[in-house]
Amino acid sequence: MIFKNNSDEFISYLSDASNYKGIADELFIPESYYELERIIEECGKINEKITIRGGGTSTTGSSVPDGGIIISMEKLNKVIDFDLGNKTILVQSGISLIDLENYLSPFELYLPVDPTEKNATIGGNISTNASGAKSYKYGSIYNHIEQIALCSLSIDKALIKNTYNIDNTNTKTTLKNASGYNLENNYGYLFGSEGTLGVIEDVKIKLTDKPENSLMFMVFFEDDNEMLEALKVIKNLNNIENKSPAYLDPCLIEYFDKASLTLLSRGIPNIPEQANCALWLEQECSNKEIDDLLDLWYDFLSKQIPLITDTITFIDPASKRKFIDMRHSIPEYINEKISSINTFKIASDTAVPDDCFDEHYRFICNLVKNNNLESYTFGHIGNSHLHCNFIPKCENEVLLAKKIIDAINLNAISLNGTISAEHGIGKLKNQYFNRMINQEKLNKMKDVKNKFDPNFIFGNGNIF
């Protein structure tokens, strides 16, 4: 086990990707379950607060300590069991998405949720009910987990180890949501718990066959109204009459505003100057479907997209990989820039019901347009879910950015939406969380907290 009690020696563990900063007395990095459980027991005896840390990629301060100790799961990152026949894998919760992806690559299996940050851990993904670009088709990580082993403490400080079977039936909710505990589904409250209920030791994942191939398109719009109308038609593809054996079935629908397109143009040179925004579409398919799907997509898009001749198609693996890398570089650029100017991330993570999205989208666009701040809006528009990110340069801009995000969050709440579709509440969004849910639901969440963590040791400052 690695142990440090001089905060100068673990300064990197005191902040996350949002650049939110905290304090802690000690850092523990256990290398076995035995060591992990002894740490938990010893903390229980003296009511020491515990913050669990995975990859440190959280954007809401959830992995940042508010006093007490840090337990980093980085060494508990092994594959425990792999069942190729049943397409399941049992892993320690500290395994990163990229290490899991690399392990599964020879077997043509994967976890299709596809969060942007590949250094994030499985435990961290469960703790925030993470999702990603492909959530349009595959839902959140909740839809792909079969079992979770959790360590917690009883009221008399005794260690409790339980394995919970997750009955998720691979269904998606109508509103993408990572705000507090999911109370509607079987053990759903473990997803989005943000380290407040205990420590996830290991996880059994249901895997999906990796598709042979895929098609990707970038389609551009000069006008927001044209984009919104095209989006509605794309999301209604299942109701379009089709006589071909191939059919249009996007796994993701992503959005980029003008500023985000400017960042993308550093690596994608064919982005038209007149484009005000764009949609990125991808459909997974077999190799033999490629030609038919190309014809179907071009025929469909030519009827929906005014700038159809500017559409960029990605077919070969190298061009698709390059584009995905560029897509991921947008949040990386934002995180690096906020760190360099020593501020913390000021961003929205809102989602609203589909029938309210146009109103919410225009509300965001008007705020961005009417305030002269560096900002980037992009995200999972197929799920009516966008991220609006501000990079303030001075204290006045910080105050203005916070005011804008406050308005965006309150607008989402007024439309029966969520303030956090995939990043959780952490310590940065508590005030909005309390305004978003009613007292009855909050009391039920607190009942769950009391059941699993009656001494309030885990995840101090998160959610509540």
Side-chain angles (χ1 to χ4, degrees):
M1 177 169 60
I2 299 170
F3 166 71
K4 296 181 180 181
N5 60 3
N6 182 348
S7 61
D8 290 338
E9 296 180 355
F10 57 87
I11 194 74
S12 63
Y13 292 80
L14 299 177
S15 62
D16 67 357
S18 71
N19 208 32
Y20 180 83
K21 294 178 172 62
I23 57 171
D25 299 319
E26 298 170 325
L27 167 69
F28 294 85
I29 307 178
E31 299 179 73
S32 68
Y33 288 159
Y34 175 81
E35 291 178 348
L36 171 66
E37 291 161 14
R38 297 296 78 75
I39 297 166
I40 295 171
E41 286 182 317
E42 291 303 312
C43 286
K45 291 176 183 178
I46 58 174
N47 282 328
E48 183 76 89
K49 305 298 184 184
I50 298 174
T51 297
I52 306 302
R53 188 176 178 92
T57 61
S58 60
T59 62
T60 63
S62 59
S63 65
V64 178
D66 185 13
I69 72 155
I70 307 167
I71 298 178
S72 172
M73 302 296 285
E74 64 195 86
K75 298 292 186 181
L76 296 174
N77 61 355
K78 309 298 188 297
V79 173
I80 300 170
D81 184 52
F82 176 46
D83 187 338
L84 180 60
N86 288 315
K87 300 178 184 176
T88 61
I89 189 167
L90 182 67
V91 298
Q92 293 181 320
S93 66
I95 193 169
S96 68
L97 295 179
I98 188 62
D99 286 346
L100 177 64
E101 186 177 299
N102 290 338
Y103 182 93
L104 294 172
S105 182
F107 307 101
E108 297 300 316
L109 294 170
Y110 79 137
L111 175 63
V113 179
D114 196 34
T116 299
E117 182 48 75
K118 296 301 182 183
N119 291 318
T121 63
I122 286 295
N125 272 239
I126 290 171
S127 293
T128 57
N129 196 26
S131 53
K134 294 184 180 180
S135 58
Y136 181 69
K137 180 175 182 178
Y138 292 107
S140 71
I141 196 165
Y142 169 78
N143 302 103
H144 306 275
I145 302 300
E146 291 196 345
Q147 285 182 344
I148 295 175
L150 185 82
C151 275
S152 57
L153 291 168
S154 68
I155 186 67
D156 57 1
K157 317 293 180 63
L159 188 78
I160 300 173
K161 290 181 64 175
N162 279 325
T163 297
Y164 299 92
N165 294 316
I166 310 302
D167 180 18
N168 53 44
T169 63
N170 206 35
T171 58
K172 295 187 295 182
T173 57
T174 54
L175 179 69
K176 192 176 177 183
N177 192 6
S179 298
Y181 309 152
N182 181 339
L183 300 173
E184 281 74 44
N185 297 306
N186 164 260
Y187 299 123
Y189 38 75
L190 298 177
F191 299 81
S193 57
E194 301 187 57
T196 60
L197 302 181
V199 183
I200 298 172
E201 285 195 336
D202 51 64
V203 180
K204 187 176 182 181
I205 306 168
K206 182 66 176 177
L207 303 169
T208 299
D209 290 319
K210 189 178 290 185
E212 280 187 318
N213 214 326
S214 70
L215 289 172
M216 288 168 40
F217 304 91
M218 276 283 285
V219 293
F220 302 95
F221 302 87
E222 290 184 81
D223 181 80
D224 287 344
N225 292 324
E226 292 173 347
M227 182 277 295
L228 291 170
E229 288 306 309
L231 176 65
K232 289 183 179 68
V233 179
I234 293 168
K235 292 177 71 171
N236 199 39
L237 278 169
N238 291 336
N239 296 323
I240 295 177
E241 184 178 353
N242 175 35
K243 296 180 181 179
S244 168
Y247 59 96
L248 305 183
D249 180 28
C251 63
L252 64 79
I253 309 172
E254 294 279 284
Y255 169 85
F256 304 98
D257 72 350
K258 182 74 171 180
S260 302
L261 289 177
T262 300
L263 291 182
L264 286 175
S265 66
R266 297 180 301 174
I268 310 295
N270 299 325
I271 293 176
E273 290 185 9
Q274 70 271 34
N276 182 57
C277 60
L279 297 178
W280 166 31
L281 312 170
E282 180 177 5
Q283 176 165 353
E284 299 166 335
C285 60
S286 65
N287 290 325
K288 66 181 181 180
E289 293 175 308
I290 287 283
D291 290 339
D292 284 345
L293 282 174
L294 271 173
D295 290 340
L296 281 175
W297 271 112
Y298 279 127
D299 179 63
F300 170 74
L301 291 173
S302 64
K303 299 172 184 175
Q304 310 300 327
I305 314 298
L307 296 179
I308 186 62
T309 57
D310 293 305
T311 295
I312 303 176
T313 305
F314 304 89
I315 300 177
D316 64 283
S319 67
K320 286 186 286 189
R321 184 70 259 168
K322 182 177 182 180
F323 176 77
I324 291 171
D325 288 344
M326 289 303 302
R327 158 64 176 91
H328 289 175
S329 74
I330 298 176
E332 289 170 3
Y333 166 84
I334 294 167
N335 292 340
E336 289 169 5
K337 193 158 184 180
I338 62 170
S339 180
S340 70
I341 60 179
N342 199 30
T343 185
F344 57 85
K345 193 168 189 175
I346 301 176
S348 68
D349 181 28
T350 54
V352 297
D354 288 349
D355 59 0
C356 299
F357 179 73
D358 286 12
E359 180 180 346
H360 190 54
Y361 173 82
R362 291 192 173 98
F363 184 85
I364 292 173
C365 290
N366 286 334
L367 283 175
V368 169
K369 181 180 178 181
N370 294 330
N371 292 277
N372 189 27
L373 292 177
E374 182 178 357
S375 69
Y376 302 89
T377 301
F378 56 89
H380 319 305
I381 200 168
N383 299 101
S384 299
H385 169 207
L386 293 179
H387 303 291
C388 184
N389 298 262
F390 290 97
I391 302 180
K393 312 294 195 311
C394 62
E395 185 59 30
N396 285 339
E397 290 193 352
V398 169
L399 295 174
L400 178 57
K402 288 181 176 179
K403 183 177 179 181
I404 295 170
I405 293 301
D406 183 71
I408 291 172
N409 286 334
L410 294 180
N411 180 257
I413 292 171
S414 74
L415 298 172
N416 296 316
T418 176
I419 58 168
S420 183
E422 65 181 0
H423 291 161
I425 301 300
K427 299 174 180 68
L428 292 178
K429 297 187 177 182
N430 309 65
Q431 58 176 314
Y432 304 114
F433 177 67
N434 290 328
R435 297 168 78 169
M436 174 182 156
I437 63 171
N438 60 41
Q439 191 61 46
E440 180 183 5
K441 191 170 183 179
L442 181 62
N443 288 340
K444 288 181 179 178
M445 289 187 185
K446 288 182 176 179
D447 288 343
V448 172
K449 171 70 172 173
N450 285 326
K451 175 183 176 182
F452 280 84
D453 183 25
N455 300 296
F456 282 70
I457 286 173
F458 296 103
N460 185 41
N462 287 347
I463 304 179
F464 303 106

